[in-house]
Amino acid sequence: MENEVMDYDIGLGGSGGGGEDDGLYIEQEEDDPVVDGSPTAAGSSAGAGAMGGFQGSASLETYIPEADPDLEPYEGMEFESEEAAKAFYNSYARRVGFSTRVSSSRRSRKDGAIIQRSFVCAKEGFRNLNEKRTKDREIKRPRTITRVGCKASLSVKIQDSGKWLVSNFVREHNHQLVPPDQVHCLRSHRQISGPAKTLIDTLQAAGMGPRRIMSALIKEYGGISKVGFTEVDCRNYMRNNRQRSLEGDIQLLLDYLRQMQAENPNFFYAVQGEEDHATGNVFWADPKARANYTYFGDIVTFDTTYRSNRYRLPFAPFTGVNHHGQPVLFGCAFLINESEASFVWLFKTWLAAMSGCPPVSITTDHDSVIQSAVMQVLPDTRHRFCEWHIFKKCQEKLSHVFLKHPNFEADLQKCVNLTESIDEFESCWFSLLDKFELRDHEWLQALYSARSQWVPVYLRDTFFAEMSITQRSDSMNSYFDGYVNASTNLNQFFRLYEKALESRNEKEVKADYDTMNTSPTLRTPSPMEKQASELYTRKLFTRFQEELVGTLTFMASKAEDDGDVTTYQVAKFGEDHRDYCVRFNVLEMKAFCSCRMFEFSGLLCRHVLAVFRVTNVLTLPSHYILKRWTRNAKSSVLLEEHISDVFSSYLESHTVRYNTLRHEALKFVDEGAESVDLYNVAMAALAEASEKVDLETKNEGRISANNGRFRDDSRRNGIQANHKNRDQNKGSFAQQLSEEDMDTKIHELMQEVESANRRCEVYRGNLLSVLKDIEEHKQLLSIKVQNVKLSMRDGPQKILEALSVASCQDF
């Protein structure tokens, strides 16, 4: 029954071509699709065409093993199946040195079954050069022309017996053939065997890349020709492996996310596309991550490190920094499709999960696709490229420069991180390019064009929550480092992900405990240091303390005073050439430093603190204490309520009161002196004000005598109650005192207050004198050290003498 289709003549002749019968039709089979040069990809360009040139249709060189003619096809040869015929011809082609492909086939119109096949040399026929061209454009990357009209072929057709018979065989080629040591490059012979696949799978699971895997395979098989495929084939096989693995892993991920949401409705997740057939990106954020964003969502890092070749896991977390300076999670993405549209969807989804409130700043890898997505979704957020990633790419793009000039990296780091102004950076940058002859380097030109998004001097006006401008972290983020590595698959990821969350939470709890239950060691008698120790977390206080102690080596000199704002030049001892400009508005208690550390990190720099020191500002103004850095960062109570006492104490500063009154009085004097009438009005107003001040002074003295500024609330309340009920308690001691005795008592208390104020001023003056002496002594020591270094030229004996003299003088 199977062969009843053969009830017509199909032309079993030597030609093998057959006639055009009404019961048959011919089907032309196209080449397999091209994908990155895999066995189905490289085509003839990487195969025979790359090895052999066009020789015309003349006679040709062939390779036929001697004493083994059975290995060559011949007309009338039979095979059990079409596949057996194809395999035999391909094996023959490998021994001879050419690549094969399926050219055409014939099918029966009765049932569509294939009844004839033709296998040809890969160089058979000619390519239609206009097949991919249009009237409007040319092909951007045209493929190499490899078809040269070769006639070599093998045709087989099915017999009534079910076997396949060779009906035509053409041996001759019109091109050179490939030698045996290059046959593995031919398209039809680049096949990954079963044992090779097993080895690739094992090494890929261990985190090895295609290049290292190919090295291992070459060593295992004894040469690249014996491996049977190229590195491109290995790379494509690994990519397909990952794709197949991801398709299965996505379902595991979705099952995990559904379970998490069922346990807590505040757990958020979203899938790009239809969830039942998800092939796009996935995003999720647990309730803690969403809560963290409400406290610390002013700065965000989108960390794409984990989708790089290092990890080979398409995983990217959104992270930030908490009040202890620790990384904190704002959600995670599982990236499969990394197009611009996918990143736009991801950022919109993440923003929706974070209540639609955009961050102040975001840091990402230097990637044009991510940059475009950020501009579309977060137009008002300052976007920064991770400097760590840029320097890492420098090592790849400028490897020849790094090898030739060992000092280049250090010079580049100094240029980027230690320049204080835009002009200084640009001057240093071009000097560096000239020094190492890199003016024409395209990648460096692109970096310079994007300088406003990665060079610190352009970013200091924006908050990025970094402790220091110059002391940068080694990487953009490290939330999952130590948990996710090169061998992590998605099955392991869930467990490691939860373990990382648990570990980070424990570290935050430990930092909270240390902050609340231990007191830091104070290094100065400054009230500002004590104030900061009670407000900041331990980590942030330590950083602030460094800046405060650092003021002892700085001098602040008044450079300009326009009444409202005073400008100071602040410089370190012996470094007057490198000074900082601080503009201080004493009425508003606001200072602006040219280093812009507060704007960048949220902590005052030593330059502003040095100005506070010389102007007797003893405590931090409230607007310089960011709640996100305090121990109450997660409290719903406003920070201003916690520091109301501190703010009041700052208002009690004698310097602040004096400067404020002086400023207002000078304006009053200028206006009152304009005319005689204004002068008379001003004098009358001053006389009236003088009477009110005298009266308030007496009232303040009386209140002080009655209340005594007691710190104990119970005593204060008791005294207030006694005064309230004074008319009812006729026999009280206060009622029995005469008016003269009251005035005497008030006068005595006021004298004690004045005496205490004078002693405080003396103590303050002594303290400032001591600090000044310390600074001068340090400067002298610095000079002596320089003298010792200079005396090294005179020999060891003079060095010892100089050190001895310096030690005796210091003692």
Side-chain angles (χ1 to χ4, degrees):
M1 298 294 294
E2 183 178 351
N3 295 324
E4 287 184 0
V5 67
M6 301 298 201
D7 55 358
Y8 41 78
D9 181 17
I10 61 173
L12 295 178
S15 66
E20 294 298 326
D21 194 277
D22 291 340
L24 301 171
Y25 65 89
I26 298 178
E27 165 182 88
Q28 294 288 337
E29 295 194 2
E30 301 295 333
D31 289 345
D32 293 332
V34 175
V35 183
D36 295 340
S38 63
T40 61
S44 319
S45 61
M51 304 300 175
F54 178 73
Q55 299 291 326
S57 57
S59 61
L60 316 148
E61 177 187 357
T62 58
Y63 176 78
I64 302 176
E66 296 182 2
D68 199 356
D70 293 337
L71 295 180
E72 181 181 82
Y74 57 88
E75 293 183 10
M77 190 176 187
E78 289 187 341
F79 297 95
E80 293 295 329
S81 65
E82 172 203 349
E83 286 300 320
K86 178 181 178 181
F88 182 85
Y89 188 61
N90 198 54
S91 177
Y92 161 76
R94 180 180 180 86
R95 292 191 301 274
V96 173
F98 68 95
S99 182
T100 67
R101 61 182 173 84
V102 178
S103 174
S104 63
S105 63
R106 289 186 174 213
R107 294 178 180 269
S108 169
R109 287 192 176 182
K110 189 172 184 180
D111 58 5
I114 295 175
I115 58 176
Q116 183 173 339
R117 281 281 198 192
S118 292
F119 309 108
V120 299
C121 172
K123 290 180 175 287
E124 179 269 346
F126 297 93
R127 178 180 300 172
N128 181 359
L129 296 181
N130 295 320
E131 61 184 353
K132 292 186 178 180
R133 296 177 186 268
T134 65
K135 294 181 180 180
D136 300 327
R137 66 182 181 88
E138 295 288 331
I139 302 173
K140 291 183 179 180
R141 297 178 61 186
R143 294 174 60 194
T144 304
I145 296 176
T146 56
R147 297 191 183 184
V148 294
C150 182
K151 300 296 184 179
S153 64
L154 176 75
S155 298
V156 293
K157 53 188 177 183
I158 195 167
Q159 303 296 301
D160 292 340
S161 62
K163 294 185 178 182
W164 289 76
L165 180 75
V166 174
S167 59
N168 187 48
F169 171 60
V170 179
R171 178 187 297 108
E172 294 79 10
H173 297 264
N174 66 347
H175 56 87
Q176 285 185 343
L177 300 177
V178 175
D181 61 342
Q182 298 175 0
V183 169
H184 66 279
C185 297
L186 294 174
R187 179 180 184 181
S188 65
H189 309 309
R190 289 160 57 181
Q191 298 176 355
I192 304 178
S193 64
K197 289 180 179 180
T198 302
L199 183 56
I200 292 175
D201 294 343
T202 302
L203 297 179
Q204 182 180 12
M208 291 178 63
R211 186 170 301 174
R212 293 179 62 192
I213 290 178
M214 279 303 297
S215 297
L217 288 168
I218 292 171
K219 186 176 181 180
E220 176 72 17
Y221 286 91
I224 182 65
S225 61
K226 295 182 180 179
V227 172
F229 53 90
T230 66
E231 183 180 326
V232 174
D233 304 326
C234 179
R235 189 182 302 275
N236 288 333
Y237 174 77
M238 293 172 65
R239 183 196 59 200
N240 293 335
N241 262 357
R242 287 194 295 271
Q243 186 64 35
R244 288 190 297 271
S245 176
L246 287 178
E247 291 172 358
D249 288 344
I250 288 176
Q251 192 58 47
L252 294 176
L253 175 63
L254 294 179
D255 292 342
Y256 173 83
L257 298 180
R258 292 189 191 102
Q259 177 185 350
M260 297 299 292
Q261 191 177 65
E263 296 175 359
N264 191 328
N266 290 327
F267 186 95
F268 178 95
Y269 81 94
V271 182
Q272 189 177 15
E274 297 182 6
E275 185 172 333
D276 293 337
H277 302 86
T279 58
N281 300 327
V282 181
F283 169 79
W284 72 94
D286 60 34
K288 183 173 178 59
R290 302 176 74 182
N292 282 334
Y293 188 80
T294 62
Y295 307 128
F296 311 113
D298 43 9
I299 64 104
V300 173
T301 293
F302 179 57
D303 187 3
T304 52
T305 302
Y306 300 92
R307 70 187 177 105
S308 68
N309 288 334
R310 176 184 176 190
Y311 294 98
R312 299 175 184 85
L313 185 69
F315 170 65
F318 291 86
T319 57
V321 177
N322 68 7
H323 52 323
H324 299 292
Q326 300 169 333
V328 61
L329 193 63
F330 296 148
C332 300
F334 192 74
L335 299 170
I336 299 173
N337 181 357
E338 299 180 25
S339 64
E340 180 178 322
S342 293
F343 280 113
V344 168
W345 172 87
L346 178 59
F347 288 137
K348 286 182 177 180
T349 304
W350 168 76
L351 192 61
M354 301 297 118
S355 303
C357 182
V360 173
S361 62
I362 185 170
T363 302
T364 73
D365 191 8
H366 186 198
D367 186 296
S368 59
V369 176
I370 296 177
Q371 180 183 11
S372 179
V374 170
M375 290 175 62
Q376 294 180 53
V377 183
L378 304 169
D380 298 325
T381 297
R382 188 68 178 272
H383 183 199
R384 177 180 69 166
F385 298 139
C386 175
E387 184 183 318
W388 180 82
H389 278 95
I390 289 177
F391 274 103
K392 186 178 179 182
K393 287 181 180 178
C394 276
Q395 296 175 355
E396 301 173 4
K397 303 286 186 178
L398 303 171
S399 57
H400 62 291
V401 182
F402 279 59
L403 291 174
K404 186 177 180 181
H405 304 285
N407 296 328
F408 173 75
E409 184 175 13
D411 290 346
L412 182 61
Q413 290 275 2
K414 291 178 182 178
C415 174
V416 172
N417 290 322
L418 297 183
T419 48
E420 296 290 341
S421 66
I422 292 176
D423 292 339
E424 184 183 357
F425 163 75
E426 294 189 348
S427 175
C428 183
W429 177 269
F430 287 113
S431 296
L432 191 70
L433 296 185
D434 291 337
K435 178 180 178 181
F436 296 100
E437 300 179 352
L438 294 171
R439 279 264 186 175
D440 298 328
H441 197 283
E442 293 184 5
W443 191 72
L444 287 176
Q445 290 176 352
L447 276 188
Y448 179 76
S449 299
R451 61 193 181 280
S452 62
Q453 288 186 270
W454 68 277
V455 178
V457 73
Y458 293 91
L459 299 164
R460 292 176 184 170
D461 60 343
T462 305
F463 183 67
F464 282 95
E466 291 190 1
M467 300 298 129
S468 171
I469 292 175
T470 58
Q471 297 174 356
R472 305 180 63 83
S473 60
D474 289 336
S475 64
M476 210 164 38
N477 192 268
S478 57
Y479 192 93
F480 288 96
D481 282 359
Y483 300 93
V484 176
N485 55 44
S487 62
T488 302
N489 56 43
L490 198 58
N491 286 326
Q492 299 169 323
F493 171 76
F494 298 132
R495 177 177 56 83
L496 297 174
Y497 165 80
E498 293 180 347
K499 188 176 180 180
L501 294 184
E502 182 181 354
S503 176
R504 294 298 179 183
N505 291 338
E506 289 178 359
K507 289 181 179 179
E508 183 175 338
V509 170
K510 179 64 166 57
D512 284 336
Y513 176 84
D514 291 340
T515 295
M516 296 300 178
N517 295 279
T518 60
S519 298
T521 301
L522 302 183
R523 299 170 60 184
T524 72
S526 168
M528 187 180 293
E529 184 182 17
K530 180 173 177 56
Q531 170 200 13
S533 70
E534 296 172 351
L535 290 173
Y536 288 133
T537 60
R538 287 293 300 275
K539 176 70 176 292
L540 268 294
F541 169 72
T542 300
R543 184 66 191 88
F544 172 80
Q545 190 180 52
E546 292 176 4
E547 293 298 314
L548 186 64
V549 174
T551 62
L552 296 177
T553 61
F554 278 78
M555 289 291 292
S557 304
K558 186 183 295 186
E560 184 181 349
D561 188 352
D562 63 0
D564 291 338
V565 178
T566 305
T567 302
Y568 292 85
Q569 297 296 327
V570 183
K572 197 173 184 178
F573 283 119
E575 298 182 5
D576 295 338
H577 63 285
R578 195 176 187 87
D579 58 356
Y580 298 85
C581 178
V582 177
R583 301 175 68 249
F584 181 39
N585 187 323
V586 69
L587 297 181
E588 299 179 0
M589 291 301 292
K590 290 184 178 180
F592 303 89
C593 181
S594 58
C595 81
R596 315 201 78 167
M597 177 175 165
F598 180 77
E599 290 82 356
F600 189 76
S601 66
L603 287 174
L604 280 177
C605 62
R606 59 191 64 191
H607 319 121
V608 170
L609 295 176
V611 171
F612 283 177
R613 187 190 72 219
V614 300
T615 54
N616 292 331
V617 178
L618 302 181
T619 55
L620 284 171
S622 60
H623 45 267
Y624 286 122
I625 305 173
L626 298 190
K627 182 181 178 183
R628 63 122 47 238
W629 289 138
T630 68
R631 56 183 64 196
N632 296 314
K634 292 187 175 183
S635 171
S636 59
V637 181
L638 294 177
L639 178 63
E640 284 73 9
E641 296 180 12
H642 288 277
I643 62 172
S644 59
D645 294 338
V646 174
F647 186 68
S648 299
S649 66
Y650 124 76
L651 288 176
E652 291 177 2
S653 168
H654 179 273
T655 301
V656 173
R657 295 197 304 270
Y658 177 84
N659 287 333
T660 304
L661 287 173
R662 173 179 172 273
H663 183 268
E664 294 299 321
L666 286 176
K667 290 197 302 183
F668 187 74
V669 170
D670 291 339
E671 295 173 358
E674 292 294 328
S675 65
V676 175
D677 292 338
L678 287 175
Y679 170 79
N680 292 331
V681 171
M683 289 299 294
L686 285 174
E688 181 181 356
S690 178
E691 293 177 0
K692 290 183 178 180
V693 170
D694 290 340
L695 179 61
E696 184 61 27
T697 300
K698 293 180 180 180
N699 291 336
E700 184 175 293
R702 185 177 297 110
I703 293 172
S704 299
N706 290 334
N707 291 334
R709 289 188 177 273
F710 294 116
R711 295 182 181 178
D712 183 74
D713 291 338
S714 61
R715 291 184 64 188
R716 184 186 296 112
N717 293 335
I719 291 174
Q720 291 174 349
N722 287 337
H723 281 286
K724 184 177 181 180
N725 298 326
R726 181 176 58 184
D727 295 336
Q728 299 176 0
N729 299 327
K730 302 296 183 180
S732 67
F733 175 74
Q735 182 69 20
Q736 294 174 5
L737 291 176
S738 63
E739 292 295 330
E740 183 178 352
D741 293 336
M742 290 285 288
D743 290 341
T744 301
K745 187 66 175 176
I746 290 172
H747 182 70
E748 292 175 354
L749 291 174
M750 289 181 65
Q751 287 181 335
E752 292 181 6
V753 171
E754 290 296 329
S755 177
N757 287 336
R758 286 193 296 273
R759 288 196 300 272
C760 287
E761 291 298 329
V762 172
Y763 293 152
R764 182 182 300 170
N766 290 339
L767 175 60
L768 293 176
S769 177
V770 171
L771 293 176
K772 184 177 180 181
D773 290 342
I774 292 174
E775 293 170 352
E776 292 176 352
H777 188 63
K778 287 189 174 183
Q779 186 177 17
L780 290 174
L781 287 177
S782 177
I783 295 172
K784 292 176 182 179
V785 170
Q786 293 296 330
N787 291 336
V788 170
K789 290 181 178 179
L790 292 174
S791 66
M792 291 177 66
R793 303 173 183 173
D794 301 329
Q797 184 61 34
K798 289 187 176 182
I799 295 175
L800 293 175
E801 292 175 359
L803 290 174
S804 177
V805 172
S807 300
C808 292
Q809 290 176 351
D810 294 340
F811 179 76

